[in-house]
Amino acid sequence: MPALVDLGASVIIQDARGNYLFVTNLPELWAIEHVATPSDLTLFGEEVASKLSTLKQAMTEPGNKGHIEIIIGTEQVYEFRVQAVEFARGGVHLVTTIVDRSEERHRERLLRALLREVSHRSKNLLAIIQSIALQTARYSGSLELFLHKFRGRLYSLSQSQDLITDSSWRGAYFFELVQQQTEKYLPENKHLVRVHGDNLLLTPNASLHLGLALHELIVNAVSHGSLLRSGRIINVTCTRMPVNGHDTLEMIWDEILDPNARPDQQDEALKAHFGSTVLERVVPASVNGKANYTISNERISYRLVFPLETGGD
């Protein structure tokens, strides 16, 4: 009995006729000080007393036991456990323990909500992967090329997902997203990509798709542009701006090409932009935005604009 009290449990002992013989450690909302003759009705009220009466009617033999949960308001949950016990004197008695389960039930609700969120996020991520696979396959001329591009895009998604997970699924900050997506391809030349503007927190959906866009742009710059050869800086700018009364994000990728490149090299840089479909269609559609992907002899630029509050979940 002392152990139960030490654990915060309330204890009630009744004789076979239901008379209260012992009461201790009741929660404050059922304060016994204001009750002249303690009983289920006077202590807990009609509704709880009725449920306890139904439960206790079956407690006729030693070892019989049962329990009910009582919810008070929206947050408090108490478990009533009743057991029939044979005492040396007086025969069968009813021992009721009351345990506050509020915190435990709160954690259970949070866990269920978390699991629902995991399921939702997983389905979204699988849908994105399926879309990427289809688009990659459509514009790949061989299995080897498909695998090369698809693996890179999957890696991009996994990197963005790491940032989202680290933030408890709130999303990813723009500067960190750019840094993460570009450093893999410029391990010794990180300075060649400079980020400017507002370091906004992006929604999880926007983080995944902007990460994918950045992946396409940096892969194109390293593989087909003149970035490493010329050492020209790529400027990436993020700007929050009001459009029609709504907060809007504008991202601009500005990559200046090498004017000294041979014509055949320049043509390759201008034509072999594998990610154009992702940049012009997939990403803007996924964040309810618009994109403009421009390639000229002098530069490659990408501008993406979308409303922050509808960047997806």
Side-chain angles (χ1 to χ4, degrees), residues 47-293:
E47 182 179 353
V48 176
S50 176
K51 294 179 179 179
L52 286 172
S53 176
T54 301
L55 179 65
K56 292 174 181 178
Q57 284 175 3
M59 306 293 169
T60 57
E61 300 292 335
N64 291 159
K65 62 179 67 175
H67 67 94
I68 58 172
E69 280 196 355
I70 302 298
I71 300 175
I72 308 296
T74 58
E75 296 293 334
Q76 291 181 292
V77 180
Y78 292 92
E79 181 183 26
F80 285 68
R81 289 190 168 272
V82 183
Q83 181 171 359
V85 179
E86 181 78 34
F87 279 25
R89 294 181 180 181
V92 175
H93 286 62
L94 296 180
V95 178
T96 301
T97 56
I98 306 172
V99 180
D100 188 347
R101 300 293 189 191
S102 304
E103 184 63 30
E104 182 179 332
R105 297 298 178 262
H106 177 65
R107 289 196 297 269
E108 290 174 356
R109 289 194 297 271
L110 287 179
L111 180 58
R112 285 194 294 270
L114 180 62
L115 291 174
R116 286 194 298 270
E117 184 72 8
V118 168
S119 176
H120 175 66
R121 300 289 179 197
S122 298
K123 289 176 181 177
N124 281 354
L125 190 56
L126 287 172
I128 293 171
I129 293 172
Q130 182 182 40
S131 174
I132 291 173
L134 290 173
Q135 293 293 343
T136 304
R138 183 176 299 173
Y139 293 94
S140 297
S142 65
L143 177 60
E144 183 180 359
L145 185 57
F146 165 80
L147 291 174
H148 175 72
K149 293 192 292 183
F150 187 59
R151 285 169 182 159
R153 289 165 179 169
L154 281 184
Y155 180 78
S156 166
L157 285 178
S158 70
Q159 291 291 91
S160 299
Q161 186 62 45
D162 284 344
L163 289 179
I164 295 168
T165 303
D166 290 344
S167 71
S168 299
W169 289 341
R170 291 185 303 125
Y173 283 96
F174 184 83
F175 284 18
E176 286 74 10
L177 190 66
V178 175
Q179 179 182 16
Q180 187 190 62
Q181 291 294 333
T182 57
E183 281 188 351
K184 176 190 175 184
Y185 299 96
L186 299 169
E188 299 178 0
N189 297 276
K190 301 175 185 178
H191 65 283
L192 293 179
V193 177
R194 293 182 183 172
V195 192
H196 313 272
D198 303 314
N199 190 19
L200 301 178
L201 178 65
L202 308 171
T203 66
N205 180 64
S207 301
L208 290 174
H209 284 93
L210 260 68
L212 189 59
L214 290 164
H215 166 78
E216 300 299 332
L217 290 164
I218 192 62
V219 167
N220 186 62
V222 172
S223 302
H224 309 289
S226 53
L227 176 62
L228 296 177
R229 183 171 55 253
S230 68
R232 292 175 177 269
I233 301 298
I234 293 176
N235 289 295
V236 186
T237 306
C238 175
T239 306
R240 181 203 295 264
M241 57 185 185
V243 176
N244 298 325
H246 299 285
D247 273 348
T248 301
L249 182 147
E250 178 190 56
M251 183 192 85
I252 296 177
W253 173 283
D254 186 26
E255 177 185 349
I256 300 175
L257 298 177
D258 184 0
N260 299 318
R262 298 195 312 271
D264 58 330
Q265 291 177 324
Q266 195 71 7
D267 289 343
E268 182 182 6
L270 299 180
K271 294 176 182 177
H273 47 287
F274 290 149
S276 60
T277 299
V278 172
L279 293 168
E280 295 177 304
R281 299 180 185 178
V282 176
V283 171
S286 300
V287 294
N288 302 319
K290 296 181 179 180
N292 183 20
Y293 186 35

